[in-house]
Amino acid sequence: MSTGSGAGAASSNGGSSRGGGAGKPRYHLQFTEEMKGFFAFNESDYQQGFDLGQAANSAVMFRLTIGTDDTYAFIADPNHVCPAVGYVHSDALGGRLTVERGVFNLFVDAGVIDGEPARHMRYRLWFKDAVGHRLTLTGFKDIKHPVAALSGFMDVWGETTTLYTRILSGFVDVGGDDDAPLVGAGIIHILPLDFAHQLTTFRVSGPGLSGRLAAFRAFGALFIGQLWEVFQPRLPWNTRSPRNTHD
């Protein structure tokens, strides 16, 4: 399975306060996310990398502020792409390392699995280790319906807070992962307390309180709607054609 992270290109939408492609005022939305886990050098398997990294205390984490300058354009974009800024921290790589460029994709079409639509959240972070070697952290959250007919809370929680991660040598663009030298692989997670804090970091700026609330509701509707599309119950009267109904 291809897991190239960061479909599309992040861009800044500075300038006019009008945006969204339909004359809507432009609203900036951002939030901060922190994820923590383990990785192992010279390992390509995500779970093996996590297990070996945990045994060796080879930790990796990132803290990112993810934001869009035009919430309605972000929602309309099928790649739901926006920039991410922050840092990666790993003692094995040299400590706290600034992300020089980052791209985040929310709910990208990942095809159909067992007749059900699947989604990926994708991350691609370019940074340098402590001695200046260029590195790329690329990862995806694999969001799909469980085998059981009914999804539980832990299905949704597990898949939206688990990032399957590889670290590659060089600044690697989308489509170049297979040819890039592998540094290591692992898994990182959003921990419950970090998620609770994340919920307090959402910010919307733009014209008028009602407009800001509407932009935040629109973002929330996208998020909840995509989760429902993936995790809605498999019931006998709720069969769907095995095609993507995204957007």
Side-chain angles (χ1 to χ4, degrees):
M1 178 191 305
S2 173
T3 58
S5 301
S11 63
S12 173
N13 294 313
S16 168
S17 64
R18 310 297 290 183
K24 293 180 180 291
R26 180 172 289 154
Y27 291 90
H28 173 88
L29 182 145
Q30 71 175 50
F31 61 93
T32 298
E33 181 173 72
E34 189 167 302
M35 302 191 72
K36 301 168 181 172
F38 298 92
F39 83 104
F41 288 104
N42 303 314
E43 178 59 62
S44 61
D45 183 83
Y46 301 111
Q47 188 63 55
Q48 277 284 102
F50 177 84
D51 294 340
L52 292 171
Q54 188 174 42
N57 197 30
S58 180
V60 63
M61 62 85 68
F62 63 62
R63 181 180 176 89
L64 301 174
T65 296
I66 297 167
T68 174
D69 285 338
D70 191 334
T71 301
Y72 290 106
F74 172 82
I75 292 169
D77 176 7
N79 287 318
H80 306 304
V81 61
C82 60
V85 298
Y87 64 86
V88 174
H89 189 283
S90 172
D91 289 342
L93 298 173
R96 177 167 166 165
L97 309 164
T98 300
V99 172
E100 299 194 8
R101 181 183 169 214
V103 178
F104 169 74
N105 299 85
L106 179 72
F107 293 121
V108 177
D109 173 20
V112 174
I113 299 175
D114 295 331
E116 301 288 341
R119 301 286 184 266
H120 281 172
M121 295 188 200
R122 296 178 180 169
Y123 298 69
R124 184 170 295 267
L125 310 176
W126 291 268
F127 63 103
K128 294 176 183 175
D129 69 12
V131 295
H133 296 132
R134 294 181 174 186
L135 299 171
T136 300
L137 186 153
T138 178
F140 68 101
K141 296 176 181 176
D142 191 23
I143 301 169
K144 59 185 184 297
H145 199 287
V147 174
L150 298 178
S151 302
F153 170 77
M154 293 308 296
D155 297 313
V156 180
W157 171 259
E159 294 188 5
T160 57
T161 60
T162 300
L163 188 70
Y164 300 94
T165 303
R166 286 191 177 129
I167 299 175
L168 307 174
S169 180
F171 286 172
V172 183
D173 290 322
V174 176
D177 292 12
D178 291 343
D179 296 324
L182 176 71
V183 174
I187 301 173
I188 57 180
H189 300 93
I190 301 176
L191 303 181
L193 287 178
D194 292 331
F195 178 72
H197 174 71
Q198 180 175 326
L199 294 177
T200 71
T201 68
F202 280 87
R203 301 287 186 272
V204 181
S205 59
L209 176 60
S210 62
R212 293 193 293 272
L213 291 173
F216 186 66
R217 284 196 302 269
F219 175 83
L222 169 69
F223 196 95
I224 298 300
Q226 289 296 302
L227 289 181
W228 175 254
E229 178 67 22
V230 172
F231 290 108
Q232 62 180 291
R234 284 183 178 142
L235 300 174
W237 57 85
N238 188 31
T239 57
R240 288 176 288 177
S241 171
R243 65 180 180 84
N244 187 337
T245 57
H246 178 48
D247 293 309

